[in-house]
Amino acid sequence: MKKIAILGCGQLGSIVADAVASGLLPDYALCAAMSRKLPDAEALCAKAGGVACATLKEVLAQKPDYVIETAAVQVAKESCLPAPIFSRLSKMVTS
């Protein structure tokens, strides 16, 4: 059984979680979900299993085999990149 984590618990993350919960992905189990809004991650984990996380560090502590990013690009950048790198990237994109 491979462990997956979901970053982003909106509509796309819910589709993946529903697929896991309904048995459409029999070789995979949800080990973690992360959202900017912790209650969203908690709701997703309540139906598909796993641990609701507030940070990427918490997600990676669950040792997922795969991390599925279903968040908006801006959210993924803010949540997953260290602040100094994000700041430099933002300046490069906006200049």
Side-chain angles (χ1 to χ4, degrees), residues 65-86:
D65 295 298
Y66 300 100
V67 176
I68 302 170
E69 183 271 311
T70 62
V73 173
Q74 188 68 21
V75 173
K77 285 180 183 176
E78 292 171 2
S79 300
C80 299
L81 293 175
I85 293 173
F86 178 71

Side-chain angles (χ1 to χ4, degrees), residues 1-89:
M1 177 88 45
K2 296 285 186 182
K3 298 190 313 183
I4 61 172
I6 297 173
L7 303 184
C9 298
Q11 186 166 350
L12 187 54
S14 292
I15 291 169
V16 175
D18 288 344
V20 171
S22 67
L24 290 174
L25 302 170
D27 297 329
Y28 298 89
L30 184 66
C31 69
M34 183 184 105
S35 177
R36 285 187 298 174
K37 302 175 202 162
L38 190 58
D40 291 350
E42 291 169 340
L44 192 139
C45 289
K47 67 179 173 182
V51 176
C53 301
T55 67
L56 182 60
K57 185 175 182 176
E58 292 174 12
V59 170
L60 297 178
Q62 300 304 312
K63 301 187 187 299
D65 295 298
Y66 300 100
V67 176
I68 302 170
E69 183 271 311
T70 62
V73 173
Q74 188 68 21
V75 173
K77 285 180 183 176
E78 292 171 2
S79 300
C80 299
L81 293 175
I85 293 173
F86 178 71
S87 178
R88 285 193 304 256
L89 285 174

